[in-house]
Amino acid sequence: MDTSEVEKAKSHIVVEIIQYIPNAVLSKTIIKKTTGNITASSFDAGEELSEKTSPFDNYIQIIDGCAEIFINDKKHLLNLGQGIIIPAHAKHSFNANVQFKMISTIIKSGYED
């Protein structure tokens, strides 16, 4: 995973921040702060991220292709331009039936639980 941030105060085309790599899931940090982060990820067709949980809400937006996301064992199909909030502490996983790219935004502040 590339840990360098995207250059600040310079415009970019969000879908071009990250490329597809054959047989891989790739992530690029856009912003990383102690209070949260924004990450772009690309999934080649057939790839997946196994089930995990996070103590924070995670907003996912599809910026290319379409994704299959499971949240607490319920399947969600997201197409280009669609987004979904993965609630804090929810089990979730991603499947790439076709290539897709997404932006993930996690805000770590404001939680009492």
Side-chain angles (χ1 to χ4, degrees), residues 26-66:
L26 187 63
S27 293
K28 168 77 175 166
T29 301
I30 298 173
I31 299 172
K32 185 175 182 73
K33 303 292 180 197
T34 56
T35 53
N37 56 63
I38 302 173
T39 306
S41 298
S42 67
F43 289 68
D44 194 24
E47 295 301 309
E48 63 182 38
L49 280 183
S50 58
E51 187 175 273
K52 62 180 182 174
T53 61
S54 169
F56 308 107
D57 288 343
N58 185 354
Y59 180 70
I60 302 295
Q61 182 179 14
I62 304 305
I63 59 170
D64 191 45
C66 58

